[in-house]
Amino acid sequence: MKRSMTLLAYFLIYIAGHSQTLKFINFSGGAEFSSLSFITNQKIIIKISQDGKVIEWGNEMEPGRFYTEPGKLQPYMGRVEYYEKQFDSMLNGKVKNIGITSITYYGSTENPALVGKVKSIGNVLFNYYLDQENESVRGKLKTAGFKDFAYYYSHENEAYRGKLKSIGNNQVTYYSTFDDKSIRGKLKSIGSATFTWYTSLDRPGYQGGLKSGRQYQMIEGVTYIIW
């Protein structure tokens, strides 16, 4: 019994040491879902694009700099390893370990829609929409850990077709082609958080800029960055 408890303790420590948490979701131009970021137990942030590519990694900016340079990371100076001399040459050159966090990828024998995309970051598994899905979602992120990602289909309003529709239980809406030309396609809401933008009727320099709604929204423990 004592040995079992010891093994369980070691297992829990291992899991905690290799766990990752969804930290940020970025929308560029106030309209496009551009990336999601996970933070490791070593406080390393790993940023992934919606089509499964590792964009960058690093440490979070100090609070003051974070709010003037949203989403920017400080370089990580620790251990980083890359895949090399792999039987599947598709893996060669891709980042393998950042600190103690390992990253795996879908190999060349997988479904063509998945090849080369991130498969896991530590204990977080990723899946993507396949080629038989609606053309507007093919190859895009479908799940990341316990989070589901849905998108507007190609038959929907032109201003937001192909854009992110929901993250887990949080619906994402946008201004449509029936709205002012300066705000078409821009975020209207994420869950209960709403956004308004200056229109073409406002003075130059303001048009298309955020009028109300916070640039940084904490929703269910995840910070949404609108920039």
Side-chain angles (χ1 to χ4, degrees), residues 1-200:
M1 181 67 177
K2 183 177 180 181
R3 182 172 181 273
S4 297
M5 293 300 293
T6 301
L7 289 173
L8 177 61
Y10 277 122
F11 176 74
L12 293 175
I13 291 170
Y14 174 84
I15 292 296
H18 292 76
S19 63
Q20 294 73 40
T21 303
L22 183 58
K23 177 76 171 174
F24 300 119
I25 291 179
N26 284 68
F27 282 85
S28 61
E32 302 295 337
F33 168 42
S34 56
S35 67
L36 64 162
S37 302
F38 290 82
I39 186 166
T40 74
N41 70 302
Q42 293 180 294
K43 306 302 181 186
I44 306 166
I45 294 173
I46 303 174
K47 187 182 294 185
I48 308 296
S49 66
Q50 70 165 331
D51 60 350
K53 295 181 175 64
V54 178
I55 300 174
E56 63 175 327
W57 57 86
N59 298 113
E60 192 172 353
M61 289 281 190
E62 298 87 352
R65 294 183 63 190
F66 173 84
Y67 291 108
T68 58
E69 302 177 273
K72 188 173 181 179
L73 302 177
Q74 297 183 106
Y76 171 65
M77 306 307 292
R79 168 178 168 262
V80 179
E81 294 182 351
Y82 296 83
Y83 287 95
E84 56 182 26
K85 299 179 181 178
Q86 298 293 307
F87 178 77
D88 188 346
S89 60
M90 184 280 303
L91 293 172
N92 291 333
K94 293 184 179 293
V95 64
K96 182 179 182 181
N97 294 294
I98 302 173
I100 63 171
T101 301
S102 61
I103 301 176
T104 66
Y105 304 84
Y106 288 95
S108 56
T109 60
E110 305 273 4
N111 186 293
L114 302 177
V115 174
K117 297 180 184 293
V118 171
K119 187 175 187 178
S120 67
I121 297 178
N123 61 355
V124 177
L125 301 179
F126 295 78
N127 202 358
Y128 304 85
Y129 289 93
L130 303 180
D131 288 341
Q132 61 264 35
E133 305 278 358
N134 185 274
E135 61 183 352
S136 65
V137 304
R138 293 171 190 166
K140 292 181 178 179
L141 185 67
K142 186 175 185 179
T143 62
F146 296 108
K147 289 286 186 183
D148 297 323
F149 295 76
Y151 303 82
Y152 289 95
Y153 280 3
S154 56
H155 63 267
E156 302 193 71
N157 190 279
E158 183 181 357
Y160 47 76
R161 66 179 58 154
K163 292 180 183 289
L164 189 64
K165 185 176 185 178
S166 65
I167 304 171
N169 295 321
N170 293 303
Q171 296 296 309
V172 184
T173 65
Y174 305 83
Y175 290 92
S176 76
T177 53
F178 301 107
D179 291 299
D180 183 87
K181 63 181 180 180
S182 292
I183 67 174
R184 292 170 190 165
K186 287 187 176 290
L187 281 167
K188 190 174 187 178
S189 68
I190 303 174
S192 61
T194 60
F195 307 88
T196 61
W197 307 81
Y198 289 100
T199 72
S200 60

